[in-house]
Amino acid sequence: MRLNYHLLFFLAISLSGYGQIINEISDPVDYVNPLMGTDSEPGLSNGNTYPAIGVPWGMNLWTPQTGKMGHGWAYTYDAYKIRGFKQTHQPSPWMNDYGQFAIMPVIGMKFDQDERASWFSHKAEIAKPYYYKVYLADHDVTVELTPTERAAQFKITFPASDSAYLVVDPFDKGSWVKVIPEENKITGYTTKYARGKLVNFKNYFVLKFDKAFDNVHTWEGKNLAEGVTEMEGNHAGAIVGFKTSKQETINVRVASSFISLEQAELNLERELAQDDFDTTKKKARDLWNDKLGRIKVSGGTIDQVSTFYSCLYRTLFFPNKLYEINEKNERIHWSPYNGKILPGYMFAGTGFWDTFRALYPFLNLVYPSINKEMQAGLVNDFKEGGWLPEWSSPGYANIMVGNNSASVVSDAYIKGLRGYDIEILYEALIHGANNAGPMTAVGRAGAEYYKTLGYVPYDVGINESAARTLEYAYDDFTIYQLAKALKKPKKEINYYAERSLNYKKLFDPSSGLMRGKNKDGSFQSPFNPFKWGDAFTEGNSWHYSWSVFHDVQGLIDLMGGKENFVMKLDSVFDLPPIFDESYYGGVIHEIREMQIADMGQYAHGNQPIQHMIYLYNYAGVPWKAQYWVRETMNRMYLPMPDGYCGDEDNGQTSAWYVFSAMGFYPVCPGVNEYVVGAPLFQKVTLQLENGNELVINAPGNNAQNRYVNELKINGKVSTKNYLDHNELMKGGTLEFDMKDEPNRNRGTDKEDFPYSFSIEK
Ligand code: CA
C-alpha cells in the first residue's frame, strides 16, 4: 500500500496526537521529507540542505532554485520565488556548486534570472526524493520533474498562450548553447565552478522536446539575439517559444556529461530509453524503496519514522558518481586532476573531516557495494593527482584539517570490503601521512614537525594545530590497523602504533583538556577552553578533547580515571554555552547552533563532538549514553524544514541519527566494533547486502523507556557495551529489554568496555 505522508501526518495529529505508532512500513520513500533542513541561512543552519531530487549516488541532482545564480543557498524554505530548476552537484552551500545549469518555463520573453522568477507556495509543491512538482504562479505553469543517475524528465503544463517559452540558462563564467530546431533539441555546456579553476572542465547537456519550437533565440548576458541559434560567451543561454493550448504538456528529456556531447546523448539514450515520464518516475521511486527498504523500522511515532527515513535518504547521495559508462559499457571519467578522460571510477562531493566518522562506516555496514566503487575511485584519485582528496568537490579543496582519508580507506578494508587495489591505497596513505601536500588540507600540513616532535606546534604558522595533531594521531592508528591487516613489516606497523599515541602530547594536566603546544614544548598561552578555532577547528577544547577515538582508555587515564572522566563528560552538558568567537572575528553559525540548543557545550550541530555521548560506555556508565542519545534524537532532529541542528554535511549528521536509532554507533572507524547506545524503535530489520538479516528488537521502547536493562545477542545475554561488526554481518537478532530506569549493573566491568588501543585485547 502506498502511504501518503501528508495524510498520515494529518491522521496522526487528529486521531491520537503526537504519539501514533507506525507498525508497518511498505514504501519507506513515502516517509521522506526532502525539505528537512532547508530552512537555513548562512548565519544559522538548520541543515543547510536543498531538496535533492535524484537517485542514490546519482551523478546529477536537481533542485528548484530560489537563490541567485552562483549563490550557495540554492533553495531556502522561506523564499517566495523560484527562478529555475537547477541540475546541481553541490555537496554543501559552503563548497557551492560546479557544472550547474538551470531551465525555467515562462510566459512572455523573460530570460533574466530576476525577471523570469515566479512566486510559488509550499501549498502547491510536492517534494519527493524521486519527484518534484510545483506551481509557478506568475506563469500559470506547473513543472514536474523526475530523475535518473545522469538524466531527468520534465513535464511542463502550460496555459493557453502564444508566448510560452522555455529558458535554458547555463550560467556565467563561460557557457555555450546551440539550438537545433529540426531535431527539437538544445545542446550546450556550462563551465561554472565556484572554487578557482578546473582543467578542461565542461558539463555538456542535451535537452530534447516533444514539441517543435515556434521561435528560437539565444542570449548573452542581458542581450537577446533574436532568431540566432548558437551563442557562446561569459553567460550564454537559449530561449525557445511555443504556442500552447490550455493544459498542454511539453515533455523535456535532459541528460548531461562531463565527457562530451556525444556521451550526454548516450547517457540520455541509456537512462531514459523509450520511457515516458511516469515510467521514469516509477523506476526512481522503486529504486528509492529498494535502497531505503534495506532498513525497516516499526514501533515509533510518525515523526520518528519520518525523521529516520529523511535522514537515511540524506546518507545515500554523497559522494556522488562522477563516472559515466561509454558505448562499450566501460566506466570512464573526466579527471579533476588533469582534465583527461580516463578509465574507471571517480566520485566527488564529500569532506572526509565530516564523513569519516559515521557516513562511511554506515556504507560499510549497509551498502558496501557502493563503497567498493568509491574505494576504486580513490585509487584513481591517487594515480591521477598524487594524493588522496580530503574534501572532494571535485578533486582537492583547501578546506578543513586532518588526513582522514586514512580512516575512510582503512575502515572499508577492515570491515571486509575487497575488489579494488588496496596496496595502492596503502601506498597513498603512507605518502599522505608523511608529507605536506600541495595545499594545507591535503596530505599533512606540518608533517615534518609531526614526525620529529609528535605534534604540530601552535606557534609555527600552521592554523588549527591541535585539531590537526589529534586527527593525525587517530589517522595513524587507522594506518596501523590497515598495516596489520595487510601484513606489512613489523617495523612499519609499530611505527604507526607509536604515532597513534601522539594525542598524549597535547594533554594539559592543569586544565585536564587538550591544548595547543608550542615548538619549545610549552603550552599555548593564554588558553581559553571556550575559544573556538585557534588551535582547534570549528570547535573549542571542550569539543576536541574527546578526539581520541582509538584510545579512550588512554584518555581516561590522562584525565585521572573513570570518575573524573565521567565528571568531565557530564560537564559538557552542565556548562553554560559560553564562547569566545574572536578567532573568527564573529559568531560562526556552528557557535550559534550550540548556543541556542540548550545542551550546554554539547555542539551536536558540528562534527568534532558527535561521538562524545557514546564515550560513557568506556567508563562503565552506559546508561548516561543511553539518556543523552535519546535526548539528542528527540530534540535535535525533526522531519521539518528546520529539522537539523546544524549543517547536515553530506550524510554525516544523518548517519549519526540512523546508527543511533538502530542502537549503536561507530565511535572508532578502523575498529571492527560499534558502541552500544539504545535503540529508538521497537523493531528494526536490516537487510544486509550479503543476504543476511539482522533484527533489532526492543519491544519495550516508548517515550519513557530509554534505558537498556538487558541485551541478548541471538538469545545469549551480553553485558558488553559494544557489538562486533563480523557478528552483525552474519545476521541474527539483538534483543534489547528497555526500561524507564537505568540498570546500573550492566556494562560496568572493564571487560564490557569497547576497544581502546592501550588495552588492546
Ligand atoms: Ca559541520
Side-chain angles (χ1 to χ4, degrees):
M1 195 187 79
R2 283 169 64 164
L3 297 171
N4 179 299
Y5 171 79
H6 295 283
L7 179 66
L8 270 174
F9 192 75
F10 171 76
L11 282 174
I13 289 187
S14 60
L15 294 181
S16 54
Y18 182 86
Q20 176 171 323
I21 299 299
I22 304 296
N23 284 319
E24 189 67 45
I25 307 275
S26 58
D27 292 61
V29 73
D30 291 332
Y31 293 88
V32 175
N33 181 7
L35 302 184
M36 180 174 172
T38 59
D39 185 7
S40 295
E41 56 185 86
L44 182 69
S45 170
N46 288 310
N48 266 337
T49 58
Y50 54 87
I53 315 303
V55 294
W57 305 292
M59 187 170 86
N60 305 323
L61 300 169
W62 293 85
T63 181
Q65 184 198 344
T66 63
K68 284 194 184 260
M69 173 177 68
H71 196 245
W73 279 258
Y75 175 100
T76 50
Y77 192 79
D78 63 353
Y80 296 126
K81 288 188 175 185
I82 286 175
R83 58 183 87 234
F85 298 87
K86 185 173 79 155
Q87 190 201 81
T88 178
H89 314 94
Q90 177 171 300
S92 144
W94 308 107
M95 300 306 286
N96 212 311
D97 214 343
Y98 61 95
Q100 69 269 45
F101 65 94
I103 69 173
M104 177 73 178
V106 291
I107 298 296
M109 178 85 79
K110 299 159 188 156
F111 59 89
D112 174 79
Q113 62 168 342
D114 294 324
E115 288 168 19
R116 73 188 191 221
S118 168
W119 279 81
F120 79 108
S121 165
H122 298 300
K123 299 177 185 70
E125 178 189 44
I126 297 172
K128 299 284 177 189
Y130 58 91
Y131 172 71
Y132 181 82
K133 179 182 183 181
V134 72
Y135 176 65
L136 299 174
D138 287 314
H139 305 301
D140 190 24
V141 166
T142 297
V143 174
E144 295 168 83
L145 77 91
T146 187
T148 67
E149 285 191 348
R150 299 171 188 83
Q153 294 210 48
F154 280 78
K155 189 160 96 184
I156 305 170
T157 305
F158 283 95
S161 175
D162 57 6
S163 55
Y165 291 92
L166 191 114
V167 182
V168 177
D169 186 349
F171 293 171
D172 62 358
K173 304 280 154 83
S175 40
W176 169 76
V177 283
K178 183 178 181 184
V179 186
I180 306 157
E182 54 279 16
E183 295 178 47
N184 301 341
K185 188 161 105 177
I186 301 175
T187 59
Y189 63 68
T190 170
T191 64
K192 197 163 175 66
Y193 172 57
R195 307 179 66 86
K197 196 131 184 73
L198 289 168
V199 191
N200 189 29
F201 175 69
K202 288 187 175 83
N203 186 22
Y204 300 89
F205 56 79
V206 53
L207 293 86
K208 292 186 175 176
F209 296 71
D210 69 347
K211 186 178 169 80
F213 309 139
D214 184 62
N215 52 81
V216 171
H217 319 280
T218 51
W219 45 275
E220 208 288 312
K222 297 263 180 196
N223 304 316
L224 183 71
E226 284 185 56
V228 176
T229 56
E230 187 172 354
M231 184 63 69
E232 190 175 12
N234 174 57
H235 186 186
I239 178 165
V240 292
F242 305 92
K243 288 190 168 46
T244 52
S245 53
K246 192 175 180 207
Q247 294 289 302
E248 181 173 350
T249 61
I250 295 180
N251 272 73
V252 187
R253 298 153 76 81
V254 50
S256 65
S257 166
F258 293 114
I259 291 167
S260 67
L261 266 184
E262 295 70 34
Q263 181 67 43
E265 294 260 9
L266 188 60
N267 291 343
L268 191 146
E269 277 167 39
R270 182 177 278 124
E271 297 190 5
L272 297 181
Q274 302 307 310
D275 294 349
D276 62 8
F277 185 91
D278 287 338
T279 305
T280 298
K281 182 181 167 189
K282 185 176 183 313
K283 284 182 176 175
R285 179 182 163 82
D286 290 348
L287 197 53
W288 274 112
N289 271 329
D290 172 54
K291 285 287 185 288
L292 296 168
R294 304 297 172 84
I295 311 181
K296 290 268 173 73
V297 301
S298 73
T301 67
I302 180 132
D303 272 3
Q304 290 167 338
V305 172
S306 187
T307 301
F308 183 87
Y309 285 111
S310 300
C311 283
L312 184 54
Y313 148 85
R314 290 280 166 197
T315 65
L316 304 182
F317 284 124
F318 295 109
N320 55 313
K321 292 176 182 174
L322 202 67
Y323 69 83
E324 301 173 48
I325 298 163
N326 70 12
E327 67 285 347
K328 292 183 219 150
N329 267 327
E330 298 158 337
R331 279 140 186 83
I332 53 171
H333 66 271
W334 163 81
S335 170
Y337 305 105
N338 54 32
K340 292 181 184 157
I341 307 306
L342 294 168
Y345 292 105
M346 181 61 60
F347 285 77
T350 191
F352 291 159
W353 183 82
D354 301 286
T355 52
F356 86 82
R357 300 162 199 268
L359 186 273
Y360 277 93
F362 181 64
L363 298 181
N364 292 336
L365 177 66
V366 190
Y367 308 96
S369 57
I370 192 70
N371 195 19
K372 285 181 197 171
E373 292 189 10
M374 292 169 186
Q375 299 294 319
L378 289 175
V379 171
N380 291 329
D381 282 294
F382 179 61
K383 282 182 178 170
E384 294 163 26
W387 303 86
L388 292 179
E390 300 295 335
W391 224 125
S392 161
S393 182
Y396 306 134
N398 201 16
I399 189 163
M400 308 314 289
V401 302
N403 182 219
N404 301 309
S405 51
S407 174
V408 171
V409 167
S410 300
D411 192 54
Y413 191 80
I414 285 159
K415 300 266 171 74
L417 276 60
R418 298 292 183 272
Y420 50 92
D421 196 337
I422 188 64
E423 291 295 335
I424 291 217
L425 288 178
Y426 182 78
E427 184 193 327
L429 298 197
I430 300 300
H431 178 61
N434 293 291
N435 295 286
M439 55 189 84
T440 53
V442 170
R444 294 193 184 185
E448 290 308 316
Y449 290 112
Y450 182 80
K451 281 191 281 187
T452 52
L453 299 172
Y455 61 94
V456 181
Y458 175 77
D459 58 346
V460 296
I462 298 169
N463 67 337
E464 303 171 6
S465 57
R468 288 182 200 276
T469 301
L470 293 170
E471 291 181 22
Y472 293 170
Y474 160 69
D475 298 332
D476 283 338
F477 168 79
T478 68
I479 295 173
Y480 155 73
Q481 289 285 85
L482 183 61
K484 277 193 301 181
L486 294 176
K487 302 191 165 50
K488 294 292 171 189
K490 257 245 137 33
K491 202 176 143 202
E492 203 160 304
I493 294 171
N494 291 342
Y495 180 62
Y496 290 97
E498 277 164 36
R499 286 192 0 180
S500 81
L501 293 171
N502 279 336
Y503 71 89
K504 294 186 178 182
K505 300 206 160 62
L506 295 194
F507 186 78
D508 166 30
S510 71
S511 62
L513 293 167
M514 297 294 178
R515 178 171 174 178
K517 193 176 242 185
N518 296 319
K519 199 177 160 196
D520 67 4
S522 61
F523 280 109
Q524 72 167 106
S525 191
F527 170 61
N528 176 359
F530 299 105
K531 184 176 186 183
W532 283 61
D534 196 6
F536 300 100
T537 300
E538 289 184 0
N540 61 29
S541 178
W542 275 100
H543 304 140
Y544 251 100
S545 289
W546 314 106
S547 289
V548 188
F549 313 90
H550 55 296
D551 195 15
V552 179
Q553 183 56 51
L555 183 63
I556 290 171
D557 295 340
L558 287 175
M559 287 184 172
K562 276 193 302 188
E563 285 71 27
N564 284 345
F565 180 78
V566 171
M567 255 166 40
K568 203 132 227 163
L569 288 169
D570 289 345
S571 300
V572 169
F573 298 104
D574 293 340
L575 285 163
I578 53 174
F579 55 85
D580 172 353
E581 79 284 19
S582 58
Y583 174 75
Y584 297 105
V587 176
I588 60 172
H589 72 92
E590 289 91 349
I591 297 178
R592 190 70 74 207
E593 290 140 19
M594 174 193 78
Q595 185 201 14
I596 63 179
D598 192 20
M599 294 187 87
Q601 287 287 322
Y602 183 68
H604 192 76
N606 207 19
Q607 281 65 37
I609 205 165
Q610 285 181 345
H611 64 297
M612 184 218 97
I613 288 174
Y614 286 92
L615 301 189
Y616 283 114
N617 282 286
Y618 296 72
V621 288
W623 55 91
K624 291 201 175 201
Q626 293 153 21
Y627 174 84
W628 284 112
V629 161
R630 181 69 68 88
E631 203 67 9
T632 304
M633 284 193 278
N634 284 350
R635 288 165 52 190
M636 298 296 116
Y637 294 82
L638 274 174
M640 309 295 175
D642 66 345
Y644 289 103
C645 60
D647 289 351
E648 193 286 319
D649 281 330
N650 307 109
Q652 165 57 28
T653 299
S654 292
W656 187 95
Y657 186 92
V658 172
F659 263 125
S660 294
M662 293 196 293
F664 51 91
Y665 187 81
V667 167
C668 184
V671 169
N672 242 333
E673 275 181 12
Y674 304 94
V675 179
V676 175
L680 181 65
F681 296 98
Q682 290 170 357
K683 185 177 181 185
V684 177
T685 307
L686 199 50
Q687 203 63 57
L688 298 168
E689 278 188 0
N690 62 15
N692 296 333
E693 190 177 270
L694 176 68
V695 178
I696 302 155
N697 276 321
N701 250 333
N702 59 34
Q704 288 73 43
N705 293 355
R706 62 169 72 176
Y707 296 104
V708 177
N709 186 53
E710 185 181 76
L711 167 61
K712 282 184 185 160
I713 303 176
N714 295 323
K716 275 181 65 182
V717 173
S718 168
T719 58
K720 306 267 186 279
N721 294 337
Y722 61 89
L723 300 166
D724 182 274
H725 171 79
N726 295 338
E727 288 302 312
L728 294 190
M729 293 306 283
K730 291 178 191 158
T733 306
L734 307 180
E735 194 85 23
F736 284 91
D737 177 32
M738 303 299 291
K739 286 277 186 306
D740 60 355
E741 287 289 327
N743 178 348
R744 292 173 198 274
N745 298 313
R746 191 192 166 276
T748 53
D749 293 337
K750 262 215 148 107
E751 51 269 32
D752 297 327
F753 300 170
Y755 173 92
S756 282
F757 175 71
S758 343
I759 47 165
E760 200 165 58
K761 292 154 201 162

